[in-house]
Amino acid sequence: MSAFGNSGACGTMLEEDPDQTYENVVAEIQSFELPIEATLRSVYDDQPNAHKKFMEKLDACIRNHDKEIEKMCNFHHQGFVDAITELLKVRTDAEKLKVQVTDTNRKFQDAGKEVIVQTEDIIRCRIQQRNITTVVEKLQLCLPVLEMYSKLKEQMSAKRYYSALKTMEQLENVYFPRVSQYRFCQLMIENLPKLREDIKEISMSDLKDFLESIRKHSDKIGETAMKQAQQQKTFSVALQKQNHIQLGKNMYFSDRIPEERNEVELKRAFEEEDENEEEVLTVQDLVDFSPVYRCLHIYSVLGDEETFENYYRKQRKKQARLVLQPQSNMHETVDGYRRYFTQIVGFFVVEDHILHVTQGLVTRAYTDELWNMALSKIIAVLRAHSSYCTDPDLVLELKNLIVLFADTLQGYGFPVNRLFDLLFEIRDQYNETLLKKWAGVFRDIFEEDNYSPIPVVNEEEYKVVISKFPFQDPDLEKQPFPKKFPMSQSVPHIYIQVKEFIYASLKFSESLHRSSTEIDDMLRKSTNLLLTRTLSSCLLNLIRKPHIGLTELVQIIINTAHLEQACRYLEDFITNITNISQETVHTTRLYGLSTFKDARHAAEGEIYTKLNQKIDEFVQLADYDWTMSEPDGRASGYLMDLINFLRSIFQVFTHLPGKVAQTACMSACQHLSTSLMQMLLDSELKQISMGAVQQFNLDVIQCELFASSEPVPGFQGDTLQLAFIDLRQLLDLFMVWDWSTYLADYGQPASKYLRVNPNTALTLLEKMKDTSKKNNIFAQFRKNDRDKQKLIETVVKQLRSLVNGMSQHT
């Protein structure tokens, strides 16, 4: 119930029974269970004078209590008096006790002074003992630190820097935290960064020395690696040859190197392999890589591995550029190329080793990038320097070096396909150098040839020639010794040199990892170049040389015919080497047939030209007396000499193909006829007598007799004589003086003088007629027969009319 509720209840109770109510209020105040404020408020708030009554009631209550207290005190007073009396009695005893205690305390203090002194000594000793114990504990804590630091100094002195860094880590992580409060520890902590920098500088210096060392020894490293690759290759090739021999298979050079030689080479290869097994050196044997490992570990421990990697890669890239820079005269000797390759191989062998024995210092991506950069540079350098090589042997050695270089690096996992592509470019250059070399060889052969059939006096000499050149002629075999081959010495020599060229070309194709079909194609193409360009050019130059006479030209034609027949043997030769049948779809054919045909045609044309030149030389010796009155009665000496020369030449032509000899003979006769006609019609010749015409007729008769004697067999009827038909009809016209028939039948197909041109007849007639300035054979006619003179003038006029008519018609 709240205070207000109590107040209301009290009001009601005061109205009913005020005395009872005040007693209740007093009871409530004594109980302390209800808030006194509410109880007092109920007393003062109910009636204006209620508090007075309450106070009265309260005083009455207090008096009641006082009476109770008094009763209780009276009840206990005697006990209190007794207690005080007892206490007074004890007081005397207490004073005595106090005196005794004081005396005892004094005595005890006097007796304890010595104990106090001793106790203080004990306390001091214990403090010292505690201090000593503390010092020992602290020293035991500091000694390991000092020992580790001393160990660090020893490791630094012994250059065991990686161990020193590990010791530093232990000091910092384990020992220094225990003694960090001491000054010496702070000094040590401050000194560690300097020691780390010293280690970095020292290790970097060692790395620089290492980089300089491997730069100097790269060629030795590369030489060793290439030597090992060569030994492995030699062993593999020898083993492969042994397998081929055992299986009875054909091999390259099988017709050149007997099986016994292969077995000897195989045995030698195995012996060399056994000898070199104990001498095999690795890159670790040649180079101490510990500086790299130490430096890498040190920088890894120092948390600066990236700086080390960047520095190492940067320096190695600089060294790569130096290694890839060739000497200016590298192309002059094979040693220059070998030194260049060994340095590059040494560089990348070191990088490959670093790649496999370290983690992160060199990555595969980095080496691939470096190799691609180097490969581009290498190809550019080789392409440039190899272009200066003019010696095929040097180019071949360069190719072998490139193959060995590629095989070596391929063994270390570097891609080398682009190098083999470069070898195809160098192969073309090698073929060019071979072609130039063989051009000199062919020229020497042609210079040394005597251009006469090869004589043999016995069977042994005959077999020697047959062994050099595939010649088959049953008729020649049946002839007794001594006998002659139709070709000259240059033919077997050229055939042998072509085979040598094929061998030389094949050498370059070895080890290129190409199929037999590709090798066969390369051999045939290079041989075609040799035949169609080099040999053809040499033949054409030979044919055009001024000192080559008709006899030599005839022999050259015969030689080309036999070389042409030998082309099929060359194709068989290539087939035996490569084991690629000629019936294969993509097999390239040799173009030797066309080469020798072209050379033969050129020689034939040169024969025609030189024969005509020779005829011109004889004709220039002609010395006619164009004013003679009577002929000598015999042919001119120059013409007889010319005819004898032609007879002897055409005797040589018997070895030529029939059409060639016939064409040469016809060409010679036609040229002789034309030359004689031009002699008559020469503009510088102003006067011709009838006697000179008759003498000229005797010479033409000799020419006709020569033509009818069939100097070259194969002409039908009087075909060769037709070469002189123009001269014959012209001379007959003037000898018979048959102008009426000529003029009457002119233009008729059946004319007796069909081949006589009016202009030609007019020119010759004007040279023969009389003029006012000079005497001629017609002077006598004018005196004796003026009618004949008029006839001549009439003929001249008619001839001029015919000539003018021809001009207008044209």
Side-chain angles (χ1 to χ4, degrees):
M1 182 180 291
S2 66
F4 296 104
N6 294 334
S7 177
C10 290
T12 304
M13 291 170 62
L14 287 173
E15 290 177 359
E16 294 177 357
D17 189 357
D19 294 334
Q20 184 65 36
T21 299
Y22 292 137
E23 291 178 0
N24 293 336
V25 170
V26 172
E28 289 179 1
I29 292 173
Q30 290 179 347
S31 66
F32 295 106
E33 294 180 358
L34 294 175
I36 190 170
E37 296 91 351
T39 304
L40 294 176
R41 190 181 297 115
S42 67
V43 174
Y44 287 94
D45 290 344
D46 290 338
Q47 293 179 8
N49 296 318
H51 63 285
K52 293 180 178 180
K53 295 178 179 180
F54 173 73
M55 289 302 294
E56 294 174 355
K57 196 67 175 177
L58 182 62
D59 289 338
C61 184
I62 291 172
R63 287 190 298 270
N64 291 332
H65 279 293
D66 287 339
K67 291 177 179 180
E68 291 178 2
I69 292 172
E70 186 177 356
K71 289 178 180 179
M72 186 174 294
C73 285
N74 290 332
F75 178 77
H76 292 288
H77 175 73
Q78 187 59 40
F80 175 73
V81 172
D82 293 338
I84 292 299
T85 302
E86 291 293 330
L87 181 61
L88 289 175
K89 290 178 180 180
V90 173
R91 179 175 183 181
T92 302
D93 294 333
E95 288 178 357
K96 290 179 181 180
L97 179 61
K98 178 179 179 182
V99 172
Q100 292 177 358
V101 170
T102 302
D103 184 58
T104 303
N105 180 54
R106 180 180 56 76
K107 292 178 180 180
F108 183 76
Q109 290 293 335
D110 292 339
K113 285 182 181 180
E114 186 178 353
V115 176
I116 290 172
V117 173
Q118 293 179 357
T119 302
E120 289 177 353
D121 291 341
I122 292 173
I123 291 172
R124 187 168 55 255
C125 289
R126 288 185 177 179
I127 292 173
Q128 290 177 352
Q129 183 181 11
R130 184 174 66 249
N131 291 340
I132 293 172
T133 303
T134 303
V135 168
V136 170
E137 291 176 355
K138 298 302 182 182
L139 285 176
Q140 288 176 346
L141 192 63
C142 294
L143 280 176
V145 179
L146 296 173
E147 290 174 355
M148 289 296 290
Y149 195 80
S150 176
K151 180 181 178 182
L152 172 62
K153 289 295 186 179
E154 292 177 359
Q155 290 171 340
M156 292 290 294
S157 300
K159 297 182 179 181
R160 296 165 54 200
Y161 301 117
Y162 180 72
S163 300
L165 288 173
K166 289 297 184 182
T167 302
M168 290 183 194
E169 284 187 355
Q170 289 181 341
L171 284 170
E172 289 178 328
N173 298 328
V174 179
Y175 294 95
F176 283 167
R178 301 174 183 174
V179 294
S180 59
Q181 68 272 23
Y182 300 111
R183 179 167 178 76
F184 79 89
C185 180
Q186 296 300 322
L187 294 175
M188 291 180 181
I189 293 174
E190 293 174 359
N191 196 35
L192 289 187
K194 182 178 181 303
L195 291 177
R196 284 195 173 96
E197 289 300 322
D198 291 343
I199 291 174
K200 287 179 66 174
E201 292 177 1
I202 294 171
S203 61
M204 186 59 70
S205 177
D206 291 344
L207 177 65
K208 291 178 180 178
D209 294 340
F210 167 78
L211 292 175
E212 182 64 22
S213 175
I214 61 173
R215 187 185 70 82
K216 293 180 180 179
H217 295 90
S218 288
D219 53 348
K220 180 63 176 178
I221 299 170
E223 180 182 354
T224 302
M226 293 178 70
K227 182 179 180 181
Q228 293 172 2
Q230 180 64 47
Q231 292 171 354
Q232 181 63 32
K233 181 179 179 181
T234 302
F235 178 77
S236 299
V237 171
L239 188 61
Q240 183 180 9
K241 286 183 178 181
Q242 184 189 39
N243 293 336
H244 283 184
I245 293 172
Q246 292 174 351
L247 296 174
K249 294 181 178 179
N250 291 328
M251 297 164 43
Y252 300 157
F253 306 107
S254 59
D255 58 343
R256 205 178 190 193
I257 303 175
E259 292 182 0
E260 292 80 1
R261 182 176 176 183
N262 287 335
E263 293 176 355
V264 171
E265 288 184 352
L266 179 63
K267 183 178 180 181
R268 186 183 300 116
F270 280 117
E271 291 175 354
E272 291 178 356
E273 184 73 15
D274 294 337
E275 291 175 0
N276 293 323
E277 276 184 357
E278 299 179 356
E279 302 176 1
V280 173
L281 298 177
T282 62
V283 66
Q284 297 96 320
D285 299 325
L286 299 173
V287 179
D288 180 16
F289 286 92
S290 58
V292 181
Y293 305 149
R294 285 197 302 268
C295 198
L296 176 60
H297 292 322
I298 287 169
Y299 274 79
S300 299
V301 172
L302 294 175
D304 203 9
E305 186 175 2
E306 184 177 356
T307 301
F308 173 73
E309 291 176 1
N310 293 335
Y311 177 82
Y312 176 84
R313 295 182 184 182
K314 181 179 179 181
Q315 294 302 315
R316 290 297 280 167
K317 283 183 178 179
K318 288 182 179 179
Q319 290 186 349
R321 293 187 182 95
L322 291 175
V323 167
L324 294 172
Q325 189 65 32
Q327 295 182 353
S328 58
N329 61 344
M330 182 179 73
H331 60 275
E332 295 178 358
T333 61
V334 70
D335 290 334
Y337 287 107
R338 183 178 289 108
R339 188 161 48 251
Y340 180 69
F341 286 133
T342 54
Q343 289 179 350
I344 296 174
V345 170
F347 178 89
F348 282 100
V349 166
V350 170
E351 289 305 290
D352 180 76
H353 180 75
I354 295 293
L355 171 66
H356 288 90
V357 299
T358 62
Q359 292 183 351
L361 178 57
V362 174
T363 63
R364 175 57 69 182
Y366 163 77
T367 56
D368 290 344
E369 178 187 357
L370 197 60
W371 170 245
N372 289 331
M373 180 275 291
L375 189 58
S376 299
K377 179 67 175 177
I378 293 168
I379 290 174
V381 167
L382 293 179
R383 186 178 286 124
H385 281 263
S386 63
S387 62
Y388 299 120
C389 295
T390 57
D391 182 8
D393 294 333
L394 179 58
V395 178
L396 183 62
E397 290 183 2
L398 172 59
K399 168 258 174 181
N400 292 332
L401 276 178
I402 293 176
V403 171
L404 180 58
F405 172 74
D407 290 343
T408 303
L409 288 177
Q410 191 174 31
Y412 287 92
F414 295 98
V416 294
N417 292 334
R418 292 172 61 190
L419 285 174
F420 285 101
D421 294 337
L422 172 66
L423 284 174
F424 279 94
E425 298 179 22
I426 298 178
R427 181 202 63 190
D428 296 335
Q429 181 185 347
Y430 174 72
N431 285 337
E432 289 297 325
T433 58
L434 284 182
L435 292 175
K436 290 179 181 179
K437 178 180 178 180
W438 257 258
V441 172
F442 290 148
R443 284 194 296 268
D444 294 341
I445 291 174
F446 291 141
E447 288 293 333
E448 295 171 1
D449 194 9
N450 58 7
Y451 297 99
S452 59
I454 302 174
V456 289
V457 297
N458 52 44
E459 184 70 22
E460 183 178 354
E461 291 183 0
Y462 182 85
K463 289 181 178 180
V464 169
V465 176
I466 294 299
S467 65
K468 294 179 180 179
F469 183 76
F471 179 81
Q472 297 178 354
D473 186 356
D475 295 335
L476 182 63
E477 292 179 2
K478 295 176 182 178
Q479 294 179 10
F481 292 100
K483 52 188 175 182
K484 294 181 179 181
F485 286 92
M487 66 279 187
S488 65
Q489 287 287 354
S490 62
V491 172
H493 291 165
I494 289 175
Y495 182 79
I496 292 173
Q497 287 303 320
V498 172
K499 292 174 67 176
E500 289 296 326
F501 176 86
I502 294 173
Y503 280 127
S505 182
L506 177 63
K507 288 180 181 179
F508 196 92
S509 302
E510 291 179 321
S511 304
L512 292 185
H513 309 296
R514 297 293 171 177
S515 65
S516 299
T517 303
E518 291 175 304
I519 294 176
D520 181 86
D521 186 64
M522 288 188 287
L523 287 179
R524 292 179 184 274
K525 287 181 178 179
S526 58
T527 306
N528 277 331
L529 284 176
L530 178 72
L531 297 177
T532 59
R533 196 171 75 184
T534 304
L535 182 56
S536 175
S537 176
C538 290
L539 282 171
L540 293 177
N541 291 334
L542 173 67
I543 290 168
R544 296 190 180 102
K545 286 186 176 181
H547 70 274
I548 297 297
L550 291 170
T551 304
E552 288 82 356
L553 289 172
V554 171
Q555 187 61 56
I556 289 172
I557 292 175
I558 296 172
N559 290 349
T560 55
H562 288 285
L563 288 173
E564 180 181 339
Q565 295 172 3
C567 282
R568 62 187 179 91
Y569 295 101
L570 291 176
E571 289 194 344
D572 294 339
F573 177 71
I574 295 175
T575 299
N576 291 333
I577 291 177
T578 61
N579 290 326
I580 301 299
S581 174
Q582 299 181 31
E583 283 72 25
T584 304
V585 176
H586 301 291
T587 301
T588 304
R589 310 296 297 182
L590 293 184
Y591 301 145
L593 298 178
S594 61
T595 298
F596 298 122
K597 284 182 180 178
D598 294 341
R600 188 161 58 251
H601 292 159
E604 293 169 1
E606 197 67 19
I607 285 178
Y608 306 150
T609 301
K610 287 186 179 293
L611 193 57
N612 292 341
Q613 290 175 352
K614 201 67 178 179
I615 291 173
D616 292 339
E617 292 176 3
F618 279 101
V619 171
Q620 288 175 1
L621 298 175
D623 186 19
Y624 287 102
D625 180 8
W626 297 107
T627 60
M628 64 170 54
S629 58
E630 295 292 335
D632 292 340
R634 63 180 182 273
S636 301
Y638 84 93
L639 187 68
M640 296 306 298
D641 292 341
L642 172 59
I643 290 175
N644 291 332
F645 167 75
L646 292 176
R647 289 186 188 279
S648 62
I649 285 297
F650 292 144
Q651 280 293 115
V652 177
F653 284 7
T654 55
H655 297 291
L656 290 175
K659 292 184 179 179
V660 177
Q662 293 172 10
T663 303
C665 186
M666 177 59 74
S667 173
C669 291
Q670 289 176 345
H671 185 72
L672 177 59
S673 175
T674 302
S675 299
L676 293 174
M677 181 68 76
Q678 289 176 350
M679 191 184 301
L680 283 176
L681 302 179
D682 189 2
S683 59
E684 295 182 0
L685 180 60
K686 305 297 183 182
Q687 184 178 1
I688 300 178
S689 65
M690 180 58 71
V693 172
Q694 292 173 350
Q695 179 63 42
F696 198 81
N697 181 59
L698 292 176
D699 292 345
V700 173
I701 290 174
Q702 289 300 321
C703 292
E704 291 173 332
L705 290 175
F706 169 73
S708 62
S709 66
E710 196 175 8
V712 174
F715 287 105
Q716 295 181 354
D718 56 355
T719 302
L720 192 58
Q721 292 175 280
L722 293 177
F724 301 98
I725 189 63
D726 292 356
L727 272 176
R728 171 49 50 212
Q729 291 186 6
L730 178 64
L731 292 175
D732 285 349
L733 176 61
F734 278 84
M735 296 288 293
V736 180
W737 206 253
D738 194 7
W739 293 105
S740 57
T741 303
Y742 174 75
L743 294 173
D745 295 343
Y746 179 76
Q748 300 296 325
S751 173
K752 182 179 179 181
Y753 305 101
L754 180 65
R755 308 285 297 185
V756 178
N757 187 289
N759 194 15
T760 303
L762 176 61
T763 301
L764 185 58
L765 187 60
E766 286 182 339
K767 293 177 183 293
M768 296 180 65
K769 78 173 185 176
D770 187 19
T771 62
S772 60
K773 296 181 179 180
K774 295 182 179 181
N775 295 326
N776 54 45
I777 60 173
F778 293 108
Q780 212 40 47
F781 292 161
R782 286 199 301 273
K783 295 177 182 179
N784 299 328
D785 195 351
R786 296 181 182 276
D787 293 339
K788 192 171 184 179
Q789 179 66 25
K790 292 180 180 180
L791 176 62
I792 293 174
E793 293 178 355
T794 302
V795 171
V796 170
K797 291 179 180 179
Q798 291 180 349
L799 288 174
R800 286 176 178 170
S801 176
L802 290 176
V803 171
N804 293 333
M806 291 174 61
S807 300
Q808 294 176 359
H809 179 72
T810 303

